[in-house]
Amino acid sequence: MSIDPLDLCLNIGRAHASLNLKLQEHLGAFHGLDYEDFTLLHRLLSAEGGRMPTAELARSLGLPVSALIRKMVLLEKSGLAERTAGANGSGRHAAIRPGGRQLMQAAVTTAEAICADAVKSLAPQSLPQINLALLALCHDDTPYDRRNPTCHPTRHPAT
């Protein structure tokens, strides 16, 4: 059985949107976090020492550095995160603060329950393979080029 790559990508997008809505609703209601702030703080919580270089964090979240900085300003105002100088002048870093760590411990429990519910209809033995496939999509370094007909066909295939 083959599947059209466009259909696959659109289905991935719909699945993400559905999960995003559930997480937005519960994380907002119970913890005052939106999904994007949760993912940012989760990356910091998972990072060594609760901090990482700003450019690396932005790249891992799929954000331009300027967008990350705007988010960080809001998280700094609420006391959840901070921007610091890197060791030996190695540039700016983002770090989770104690209040952010405490909030995230509770928020992760909520997110884990939502995600467990979301994947319960999938065969448990298929989860590692699905995870690897999604990670492979995340690390596609092929640049999008409008001039390349394989990336942006000028005419639609006949249906």
Side-chain angles (χ1 to χ4, degrees), residues 37-150:
D37 290 343
F38 174 82
T39 58
L40 188 160
L41 291 169
H42 189 265
R43 287 289 296 137
L44 292 176
L45 187 66
S46 303
E48 185 177 331
R51 55 183 274 134
M52 61 191 305
T54 303
E56 182 183 330
L57 178 60
R59 196 170 28 261
S60 75
L61 296 170
L63 293 173
V65 172
S66 59
L68 174 63
I69 290 170
R70 286 190 299 274
K71 290 185 164 303
M72 287 297 299
V73 167
L74 296 173
L75 291 171
E76 285 177 307
K77 287 180 180 180
S78 60
L80 300 176
E82 64 185 344
R83 289 174 291 159
T84 62
N88 302 324
S90 64
R92 302 292 287 173
H93 281 65
I96 191 165
R97 298 197 62 210
R101 188 175 299 278
Q102 184 177 7
L103 176 67
M104 283 301 293
Q105 288 170 341
V108 164
T109 301
T110 299
E112 285 173 342
I114 293 165
C115 292
D117 187 56
V119 301
K120 71 181 178 190
S121 65
L122 302 174
Q125 66 273 20
S126 70
L127 295 180
Q129 186 176 2
I130 293 169
N131 189 52
L132 285 175
L134 291 172
L135 288 173
L137 289 173
C138 292
H139 297 295
D140 181 13
D141 293 332
T142 307
Y144 177 78
D145 185 350
R146 290 180 184 269
R147 296 165 298 191
N148 182 341
T150 60

Side-chain angles (χ1 to χ4, degrees), residues 7-24:
D7 288 340
L8 175 63
C9 289
L10 291 174
N11 287 336
I12 291 169
R14 281 191 289 275
H16 176 264
S18 174
L19 185 56
N20 188 330
L21 284 172
K22 289 174 192 167
L23 287 166
Q24 286 277 45

